[in-house]
Amino acid sequence: EDKVVQSPLSLVVHEGDTVTLNCSYEVTNFRSLLWYKQEKKAPTFLFMLTSSGIEKKSGRLSSILDKKELFSILNITATQTGDSAVYLCAVERSNDYKLSFGAGTTVTVRA
Amino acid sequence: GAGVSQTPSNKVTEKGKYVELRCDPISGHTALYWYRQSLGQGPEFLIYFQGTGAADDSGLPNDRFFAVRPEGSVSTLKIQRTERGDSAVYLCASSLNPTYEQYFGPGTRLTVT
């Protein structure tokens, strides 16, 4: 059975801090790892990672995948209160297209 | 519309009743997925459609759950004889094709009393 474990479960930071979120996985026939941001209800797509060692960046967010050690990290620099959300990590297998999600990391950014 | 839409946004029903949840995917997206999310957990896969057919329904918890996508666009998730344990947020997602990233709708919060 696929396993996706996110850490920490939650964290509280102050505006301007940098946060690093972790996602480790065990999955057969790995195809990709995805990060989503969830505020209220709809998860919003952030990144899809398929190759090891290639950093993806979008503004203050970046992410990288390590397929040898089976983990990914999501970094948020210069955090703002609008970054407060649950960040979800999911993995996808190559023989089907359903996503297996971790439980998420709740990030709270205080002004 | 620009994104995935779902209706209703909230649904309260009594135990034993039948409910239908609707999903309108992004125009042109051939793949459509249903997930269920309970409080404090990540979404769990229910069913995936490629076009009109259910390509994978392995996540449906039992035969009270059924989903259709008759014209390859809008999908309806149907739950018969609802139970309190069915209470959750039901999320729909779509992708251009199965190899592309999935985009989620705002979900329907189902409460069974």
Side-chain angles (χ1 to χ4, degrees):
Chain A
E1 189 180 314
D2 298 344
K3 215 183 207 184
V4 182
V5 179
Q6 293 187 244
S7 62
L9 207 59
S10 65
L11 72 162
V12 179
V13 297
H14 289 96
E15 273 192 315
D17 289 350
T18 294
V19 300
T20 299
L21 309 182
N22 302 288
C23 176
S24 63
Y25 63 91
E26 289 176 29
V27 60
T28 52
N29 302 311
F30 174 87
R31 179 178 175 271
S32 64
L33 184 145
L34 296 90
W35 285 97
Y36 287 86
K37 176 184 181 182
Q38 187 172 31
E39 300 168 276
K40 297 185 182 179
K41 280 195 286 187
T44 304
F45 172 76
L46 295 175
F47 299 109
M48 177 190 254
L49 304 158
T50 55
S51 300
S52 237
I54 299 174
E55 185 183 52
K56 291 214 173 179
K57 285 189 72 121
S58 176
R60 295 175 295 101
L61 276 66
S62 64
S63 185
I64 197 159
L65 174 68
D66 186 325
K67 288 167 76 171
K68 185 179 173 193
E69 300 298 329
L70 307 182
F71 77 92
S72 173
I73 59 171
L74 176 69
N75 279 316
I76 312 174
T77 59
T79 51
Q80 302 171 357
T81 54
D83 295 327
S84 296
V86 175
Y87 290 83
L88 294 164
C89 170
V91 295
E92 183 184 37
R93 296 186 292 192
S94 57
N95 55 342
D96 63 44
Y97 299 101
K98 57 191 175 188
L99 298 177
S100 296
F101 282 86
T105 294
T106 302
V107 175
T108 304
V109 182
R110 298 209 195 283
Chain B
V4 178
S5 63
Q6 292 186 245
T7 55
S9 54
N10 286 285
K11 175 74 178 175
V12 180
T13 191
E14 290 180 351
K15 180 173 175 295
K17 299 287 189 186
Y18 168 83
V19 296
E20 288 190 354
L21 313 179
R22 177 187 165 109
C23 172
D24 266 284
I26 293 171
S27 178
H29 280 198
T30 64
L32 184 147
Y33 312 78
W34 284 98
Y35 293 83
R36 177 167 74 172
Q37 187 174 26
S38 301
L39 197 62
Q41 296 179 26
E44 290 179 312
F45 170 79
L46 295 176
I47 186 170
Y48 148 57
F49 288 90
Q50 177 57 37
T52 59
D56 184 346
D57 64 358
S58 61
L60 294 178
N62 52 59
D63 61 7
R64 295 186 297 106
F65 288 74
F66 189 71
V68 295
R69 194 185 185 201
E71 296 176 2
S73 178
V74 170
S75 176
T76 305
L77 178 66
K78 309 180 182 199
I79 311 174
Q80 298 178 318
R81 304 184 303 281
T82 50
E83 298 177 356
R84 292 199 181 89
D86 299 334
S87 297
V89 175
Y90 288 81
L91 293 164
C92 175
S94 71
S95 62
L96 189 60
N97 69 51
T99 61
Y100 282 68
E101 62 273 12
Q102 297 177 27
Y103 292 90
F104 283 81
T108 294
R109 182 178 300 281
L110 176 66
T111 304
V112 182
T113 62

